[in-house]
Amino acid sequence: MLLKDFYTVEQLDKTEEGKYTAIVFLNNAHDVFKGHFPGNPVTPGVCMMQIIKELAQEILGSSLIMTSSSNVKFMALINPDVNPKLKLELEISGDATTEFKVKNTTSFDETVALKLTNVYKTV
């Protein structure tokens, strides 16, 4: 984990071939939120992208490096005081000889907060 104690994974399940669902809890006391932003914490987009990468690494059992990102849509602010519980749906395709494509939808309650597609290579 790049940011120690930033989040915890409560659940990570394979729902069908190539599809996974994770339940993640953000630590609203983490130092990141003291600067982003004091009194009105917002989860940085780059931190969300890191969580997605780390989940993909856990699923695939390989270290990954992102080579591209597309269709990135931040659709709602994620305030860890209000919505610390996130649901991440990942669809993973490809293989270690070429690259892995990870499509993600992140939501809290019924609100979609983030959609993106990342491409990774194994390291």
Side-chain angles (χ1 to χ4, degrees):
M1 184 178 301
L2 185 62
L3 291 173
K4 186 177 186 222
D5 300 325
F6 183 70
Y7 68 97
T8 55
V9 179
E10 178 184 277
Q11 184 180 336
L12 179 57
D13 296 318
K14 183 175 185 175
T15 57
E16 58 185 86
E17 192 59 38
K19 294 187 179 184
Y20 303 83
T21 299
I23 303 297
V24 169
F25 281 89
L26 299 174
N27 174 6
N28 66 345
H30 195 276
D31 284 345
V32 164
F33 297 115
K34 292 178 184 170
H36 201 270
F37 296 95
N40 189 24
V42 175
T43 305
V46 68
C47 292
M48 288 306 306
M49 293 178 83
Q50 182 67 26
I51 292 171
I52 294 163
K53 176 188 168 189
E54 291 175 4
L55 290 171
Q57 288 179 141
E58 185 173 334
I59 291 165
L60 297 168
S62 298
S63 293
L64 301 172
I65 186 166
M66 187 171 65
T67 58
S68 68
S69 189
S70 61
N71 301 316
V72 180
K73 296 178 182 147
F74 292 97
M75 303 161 80
L77 296 176
I78 301 171
N79 181 328
D81 289 338
V82 178
N83 301 105
K85 180 180 178 182
L86 304 177
K87 177 181 177 184
L88 290 90
E89 296 175 284
L90 298 107
E91 183 177 340
I92 301 175
S93 58
D95 63 67
T97 60
T98 55
E99 60 189 20
F100 291 102
K101 183 183 214 178
V102 179
K103 291 183 180 181
N104 167 259
T105 301
T106 299
S107 58
F108 55 84
D109 298 327
E110 299 300 315
T111 302
V112 175
L114 168 63
K115 286 186 173 189
L116 60 75
T117 300
N118 290 338
V119 177
Y120 301 96
K121 287 190 176 188
T122 56
V123 185

